[in-house]
Amino acid sequence: MKTILITGSTSGIGLGIAREFAKTKQYNIVFNGLEPNGPEIAEGVGKEFGIQVMFSPANMMKPEELKKMVDDAIVKFGAIDILVNNAGIQHVSPIEDFPEDKWNAIIAINLTSVFHLTKAVWKGMKERKFGRIINIASAHGLVASEFKSAYVAAKHGIVGFTKTIALEGAPFNITANAICPGYVKTPLVEKQIADQAKAHQMSEADIVNKVMLYKQAVKEFVPVEVLGQLALFLASEGATTLTGTALPVDGGWNAQ
Ligand code: NAD
């Protein structure tokens, strides 16, 4: 059994990825997130698929909590083989009004936590000569949209970090890849629809059709299962030479 730690896995994309790994019954899963019912969500997936799970409420803004989460997981499962850096937040605002505390939180949660967690799992992966780091970036790791300065900066940062880690990990069979989804209908996006409606002064229906999906050639939200299946492949033993990439799953948004 391999062990996978997925940050922000008690909601949205992280939970979707966890469920795809759980279905294979080949992984212990370390869940994490700020949802108050996180322990029940983790336990529910464990029971549904008959696998071992753990839950940690570690806050991505607190490096000491991240280190403790990794240490606790290693005590319980012996190792972390796959790290999925997925936790993230968004704030939509024109630059002149962008609150400084939101900028700092987005950089800390969406980018700096990726550094701390990668550092914390690195030694063990290197020793075992196996590691898979999967970073959930975004189409916004490759292109920008207005009113998302902090998010776009953090996601471009993740893509650069992923490339660096891929180079450092190559001698030890540690791969690093970024998945760059287009729009996925999760609580994060539900909130954005409301925020963007305010920023653009448009109705919520128009935001979905004329702003969000306007940029995708495929006019559909990306299913979490597709991201989970891609993560499964990236995590597999055979995927050693697939490293240092930023893979768009964005309905053709980046083809334009
Ligand atoms: P979500 O809001 O459904 O889930 C986010 C998860 O992160 C939650 O479990 C939440 O508790 C956790 N989290 C937030 N702040 C945290 C903190 N300080 N400490 C620990 N956990 C924290 O959002 P989602 O849409 O599933 O987003 C997951 C990732 O996917 C994010 O990095 C996001 O930027 C990225 N993404 C989302 C979309 C989309 O359209 N939904 C598109 C591209 C990329």
Side-chain angles (χ1 to χ4, degrees):
M1 283 296 253
K2 286 199 163 65
T3 298
I4 179 169
L5 187 159
I6 310 172
T7 66
S9 45
T10 44
S11 176
I13 294 173
L15 181 55
I17 291 174
R19 290 184 62 83
E20 292 306 306
F21 278 81
K23 278 178 200 168
T24 69
K25 301 185 197 291
Q26 281 167 27
Y27 298 89
N28 308 310
I29 303 181
V30 182
F31 284 84
N32 157 262
L34 298 184
E35 282 66 30
N37 60 340
E40 290 80 41
I41 292 172
E43 215 174 289
V45 175
K47 284 213 175 98
E48 185 179 345
F49 299 103
I51 57 162
Q52 279 201 282
V53 300
M54 193 189 119
F55 171 75
S56 163
N59 189 322
M60 294 297 124
M61 294 187 74
K62 299 188 177 153
E64 65 287 356
E65 292 188 13
L66 301 183
K67 201 167 173 311
K68 185 172 182 308
M69 171 169 65
V70 168
D71 290 345
D72 290 349
I74 291 173
V75 167
K76 185 164 167 72
F77 294 125
I80 294 171
D81 304 290
I82 301 140
L83 168 65
V84 180
N85 289 302
N86 164 78
I89 58 166
Q90 173 64 285
H91 185 78
V92 179
S93 164
I95 187 64
E96 71 262 33
D97 303 323
F98 209 99
E100 282 167 26
D101 62 334
K102 293 286 184 199
W103 170 276
N104 289 334
I106 288 177
I107 299 301
I109 294 167
N110 294 18
L111 181 59
T112 309
S113 74
V114 177
F115 159 73
H116 288 300
L117 282 167
T118 303
K119 193 174 166 191
V121 300
W122 196 256
K123 191 165 164 267
M125 288 183 174
K126 213 169 137 178
E127 280 168 7
R128 289 188 308 282
K129 291 248 184 309
F130 182 88
R132 298 286 184 258
I133 313 262
I134 301 169
N135 296 323
I136 306 306
S138 167
H140 284 121
L142 303 167
V143 289
S145 295
E146 61 277 56
F147 309 133
K148 295 185 178 176
S149 52
Y151 188 85
V152 171
K155 295 300 187 182
H156 275 65
I158 286 184
V159 170
F161 180 78
T162 303
K163 291 178 184 173
T164 309
I165 289 311
L167 299 183
E168 293 187 32
F172 312 107
N173 188 22
I174 302 172
T175 67
N177 291 284
I179 297 178
C180 300
Y183 282 101
V184 187
K185 200 121 189 269
T186 66
L188 179 139
V189 160
E190 305 275 10
K191 180 176 179 305
Q192 249 188 85
I193 295 172
D195 289 351
Q196 288 229 41
K198 224 162 81 184
H200 288 272
Q201 299 189 322
M202 289 164 75
S203 75
E204 294 195 3
D206 279 353
I207 286 295
V208 169
N209 297 316
K210 295 185 183 162
V211 178
M212 290 184 163
L213 299 183
Y214 170 75
K215 299 197 171 174
Q216 297 189 191
V218 180
K219 305 286 178 200
E220 288 171 26
F221 285 104
V222 177
V224 288
E225 291 80 6
V226 173
L227 302 175
Q229 286 294 317
L230 178 55
L232 259 178
F233 181 68
L234 291 173
S236 64
E237 294 270 357
T240 302
T241 50
L242 177 38
T243 193
T245 68
L247 296 162
V249 187
D250 64 0
W253 177 347
N254 268 278
Q256 303 175 58

